Amino acid sequence: MNRPLHVKFLKTMYGLLVNNFLVIVALAAAAAVVPRTSPEEVLALAREIRPVHCLLALLLAAAVANLRRMGRPKDVYLVEYGCFRPKPWFRAPFATCLEHAHLMPYLVDEESVSFAIRLLERSGLGEETCVPEAYHYMPPDRSLEASRDETELVIFSAVDEVFARTSVKPEEIDVLIVNCSIFTPTPVFAADMVVNRYKLRADVQNVNLSGMGCSAGLVSVGLAKNLLQTARPGTHVLIVSTEILSSQYYVGTERAMLLPNCLFRMGAAAMILSNSSERARYRLTRLVRTVTAARDADYRCVFQEEDDKGNTGIRLSKDLATTAGHALKSNIAAFGPLVLPASEQLLVALSLLKRKLLSGRAKVRLYRPDFRTAFEHICIHAGGRGVIDEVQHGLGLSDQDVEASRMTLHRFGNTSSSSVLYELAYIEAKGMMKKGDRIWMISFGAGFDCNSVAWECVKPPADADGPWVDSIHRYPVQLPEIVKDTSDDS
């Protein structure tokens, strides 16, 4: 991963040359013309220009700029965000998980217990991840009431946090978007609970998204963007992203369906977006969504179904990390040209041309663009250690580039659609966010979906309060190496 200094220097000089090519050409042209023109000639030309011509030129320039501004979609901003921070008594250390597995009154065999514990030890999760109160009962409480209690706890905490961190008032919210993939009772009270709790206006637009898995948070950002770009100036959208676990605990022995029990943890995040730059913290620059559901394998990669004994659960394919990698490639094909500098795009184009010219005569490896030239920070959905490894390898990222993702997985587990906000909070809590920094958020979800969202920092945080306030001093931590077990074909 570490290039020699001379290679880094040459790459930097190449980037400066290509990315500023037009400026260099303009300066060279000016340098070629100016020596042939005496100061007296320049002064004489300036005197020939009438004031009315200057005025007309200024008016024309202003009109062109105004037309361009009117034709361009409105900018969308992230005003503030907040994350649910679980209390210590919700913790689920490995020893507790093991004890609960043996105390489970369902027909869970010892082999399944051993598999789950091995998976947990390799998952990248730490000892402080938290599960809802319903999981601490034996057997777990999968009732509607338990799910309602968890919903109120995580959603209200996240929304309280976002309102506490900004001067935006509940009555200023024009649109409410709530995404919760699996727990969707009728009526969908998650959104209505927020309206009732915070006394939102009677004319607030209310949207509920479900079934999209861990990608739903960034899908919600895309929906909010479309609404804000056609709304009146000063419109505010409140987004709430969560996954409610209480009613979804799988009680069977199918290994692929035991994975969510081991990886998913309680969490939620709330965001306020606006089409006004007032009070904004980040500006949304690019958003690309890719859906690969046309492929049967991708469609069934994350699938809710019953096992052969009638137990409902979420089946995660063993090819999940590979599927995520393929979806990311398709997503990057559309996202890359929108964000990469000209120097990287030129190298990609040259490698494609070389492959075409040498087709059949030699195997040409395509150039892998360096996305670190376009972004200072990258937030990969903390879906699991394998998913982060796959993206890191595919993009050629360093351990430092994926630190926020790995540490979020270790501290909070897979919190589904809210995980990228916990990662953003990690970067801010570490004091790494600067004005003008660019952030790339990547999420994956059922479908199969891959979403890329790019932000630009407008104003760094005034403080490091947030979900990491009581633990950031302990991070980063060294994760244990994974020891391959040849007897385990999982």
Side-chain angles (χ1 to χ4, degrees):
M1 298 298 294
N2 294 323
R3 297 190 183 98
L5 287 177
H6 70 281
V7 175
K8 290 183 179 179
F9 174 76
L10 290 175
K11 186 75 180 289
T12 302
M13 295 306 297
Y14 162 78
L16 289 173
L17 176 64
V18 175
N19 296 333
N20 300 281
F21 180 73
L22 292 178
V23 175
I24 294 173
V25 170
L27 291 175
V33 171
V34 169
R36 301 177 184 177
T37 306
S38 65
E40 291 78 10
E41 292 174 325
V42 173
L43 189 59
L45 288 172
R47 287 173 178 170
E48 291 179 4
I49 300 175
R50 298 180 180 181
V52 67
H53 293 160
C54 293
L55 179 61
L56 288 174
L58 289 174
L59 290 174
L60 180 61
V64 170
N66 190 48
L67 286 173
R68 184 180 177 185
R69 186 167 54 252
M70 290 174 61
R72 191 180 64 185
K74 296 177 184 176
D75 283 333
V76 174
Y77 299 90
L78 172 60
V79 177
E80 192 54 89
Y81 70 97
C83 298
F84 165 71
R85 185 169 74 247
K87 300 297 183 183
W89 53 80
F90 291 112
R91 288 190 306 114
F94 294 174
T96 300
C97 295
L98 178 61
E99 181 183 18
H100 282 198
H102 284 116
L103 293 174
M104 195 72 68
Y106 303 106
L107 297 176
V108 178
D109 57 86
E110 190 63 35
E111 185 179 353
S112 296
V113 173
S114 299
F115 165 76
I117 294 301
R118 288 201 307 275
L119 176 66
L120 199 57
E121 291 171 345
R122 300 176 179 187
S123 65
L125 274 69
E127 298 279 356
E128 293 184 272
T129 61
C130 295
V131 296
E133 184 179 4
Y135 277 26
H136 291 274
Y137 289 97
M138 290 292 106
D141 184 358
R142 300 191 294 161
S143 67
L144 180 65
E145 189 62 32
S147 296
R148 184 186 296 273
D149 290 343
E150 181 190 350
T151 303
E152 293 180 350
L153 172 65
V154 299
I155 286 183
F156 291 166
S157 297
V159 177
D160 285 345
E161 177 74 6
V162 75
F163 279 132
R165 294 172 62 88
T166 181
S167 58
V168 177
K169 305 299 180 185
E171 55 268 24
E172 296 180 68
I173 300 300
D174 302 284
V175 182
L176 170 64
I177 302 174
V178 177
N179 62 76
C180 181
S181 294
I182 301 175
F183 181 60
T184 53
T186 303
V188 179
F189 61 77
D192 293 332
M193 282 195 318
V194 177
V195 174
N196 177 264
R197 169 69 176 253
Y198 298 96
K199 307 305 177 188
L200 303 186
R201 302 197 317 266
D203 64 342
V204 66
Q205 297 182 54
N206 191 331
V207 183
N208 186 85
L209 302 180
S210 63
M212 297 180 181
C214 304
S215 66
L218 297 189
V219 173
S220 297
V221 172
L223 174 58
K225 168 180 171 287
N226 293 337
L227 293 171
L228 287 169
Q229 288 184 335
T230 59
R232 60 173 176 77
T235 299
H236 291 89
V237 177
L238 172 62
I239 298 176
V240 182
S241 298
T242 189
E243 193 63 74
I244 304 304
L245 307 179
S246 295
S247 62
Q248 305 305 320
Y249 194 91
Y250 174 64
V251 296
T253 58
E254 288 272 355
R255 289 192 173 187
M257 300 175 78
L258 283 170
L259 294 175
N261 289 357
C262 301
L263 295 176
F264 283 89
R265 295 295 185 263
M266 66 190 306
M271 296 179 275
I272 296 177
L273 272 64
S274 177
N275 53 13
S276 170
S277 60
E278 184 181 1
R279 301 178 286 196
R281 298 254 334 272
Y282 293 91
R283 183 174 67 89
L284 178 64
T285 57
R286 297 292 181 183
L287 189 151
V288 173
R289 182 185 180 192
T290 302
V291 181
T292 64
R295 295 182 59 205
D296 291 343
D298 290 19
Y299 171 65
R300 299 191 66 89
C301 190
V302 181
F303 209 80
Q304 185 179 22
E305 60 184 350
E306 293 182 347
D307 63 14
D308 55 4
K309 296 180 181 177
N311 299 308
T312 302
I314 303 294
R315 185 184 299 275
L316 301 182
S317 168
K318 64 179 180 180
D319 299 321
L320 176 60
T322 304
T323 300
H326 289 157
L328 181 61
K329 287 180 182 179
S330 299
N331 185 268
I332 285 176
F335 184 69
L338 301 177
V339 298
L340 286 170
S343 57
E344 291 298 303
Q345 296 192 51
L346 178 60
L347 291 175
V348 173
L350 290 175
S351 70
L352 286 170
L353 180 61
K354 184 178 179 181
R355 168 177 280 191
K356 188 172 183 179
L357 293 175
L358 298 179
S359 177
R361 287 179 288 171
K363 187 176 181 181
V364 178
R365 185 176 180 181
L366 289 178
Y367 174 74
R368 181 175 61 191
D370 185 358
F371 278 89
R372 289 170 296 186
T373 60
F375 299 101
E376 282 73 36
H377 311 286
I378 301 176
C379 299
I380 306 164
H381 164 56
R385 193 168 187 169
V387 172
I388 299 173
D389 288 345
E390 184 76 17
V391 177
Q392 179 181 9
H393 175 73
L395 296 179
L397 303 177
S398 67
D399 289 338
Q400 185 177 1
D401 295 326
V402 299
E403 179 182 312
S405 302
R406 292 199 189 283
M407 297 307 105
T408 296
L409 180 65
H410 183 272
R411 173 63 182 86
F412 295 101
N414 181 352
T415 61
S416 190
S417 56
S418 62
S419 68
V420 288
L421 274 302
Y422 284 90
E423 295 170 28
L424 180 61
Y426 178 87
I427 295 169
E428 292 188 340
K430 279 293 183 182
M432 296 186 287
M433 188 64 69
K434 304 292 187 295
K435 182 178 180 179
D437 280 3
R438 299 156 298 176
I439 307 96
W440 180 14
M441 291 183 175
I442 308 171
S443 71
F444 305 97
F448 194 81
D449 275 17
C450 178
N451 297 270
S452 286
V453 173
W455 304 91
E456 180 183 352
C457 180
V458 176
K459 182 174 66 177
D463 54 59
D465 290 344
W468 294 90
V469 66
D470 57 355
S471 58
I472 192 63
H473 61 282
R474 301 196 300 271
Y475 284 88
V477 297
Q478 183 66 40
L479 299 179
E481 293 291 332
I482 297 179
V483 180
K484 286 286 184 180
D485 185 357
T486 55
S487 64
D488 183 11
D489 58 359
S490 61

